[in-house]
Amino acid sequence: LQARASLTVKFTEVVFAAGGNVRIERTGTSTLTVPSLDATWFQFSGNTLVIKPPLDLGVSGSCNKLILSECSVADVDGECMELPHEYTYCIGDFKAPQLQ
C-alpha cells in the first residue's frame, strides 16, 4: 500500500456514515481521528466504504491500524455497527535509498 492510497472496506449490507469516528493509528507519527461524516475522507456507496486520505496513512515501511469506532457506520435501518472493528495495513517502502 502506498502512503496515500485509497482503502476499500466492504460490508455485508448497504451502509452509511453514522457520525462516529474513524481512527488511524500511524506508527512513527500522530494518530488521526476523523468523523465518518467527513466526505473529504470517506465515500459510501452501497455496501462499500472507500477511504480517500488527504494525508499520509503512515510512514514508509510501517504497519498501522484503521479502527472503525462504534456507530461510525450504520445500515439502512439506522442500526449502528456496535463494536469497534480494527484492520491492520502496511505501507510499502517505495522510496529509493539515499546517500548520507
Side-chain angles (χ1 to χ4, degrees), residues 1-11 15 22-26 32 34 40-45 47-58 62-68 73 85-92 94:
L1 182 68
Q2 292 188 3
R4 287 206 187 169
S6 294
L7 296 174
T8 301
V9 180
K10 296 229 177 215
F11 296 87
V15 292
V22 176
R23 198 168 72 240
I24 301 168
E25 294 180 355
R26 304 180 299 170
L32 300 172
V34 184
T40 60
W41 275 82
F42 308 110
Q43 283 185 317
F44 288 85
S45 179
N47 69 333
T48 304
L49 163 60
V50 178
I51 301 165
K52 295 186 165 194
L55 303 170
D56 288 349
L57 289 173
S62 68
C63 289
N64 309 280
K65 289 183 185 174
L66 169 71
I67 301 165
L68 299 173
V73 176
H85 292 280
E86 217 173 88
Y87 304 91
T88 300
Y89 63 91
C90 297
I91 305 295
F94 294 102

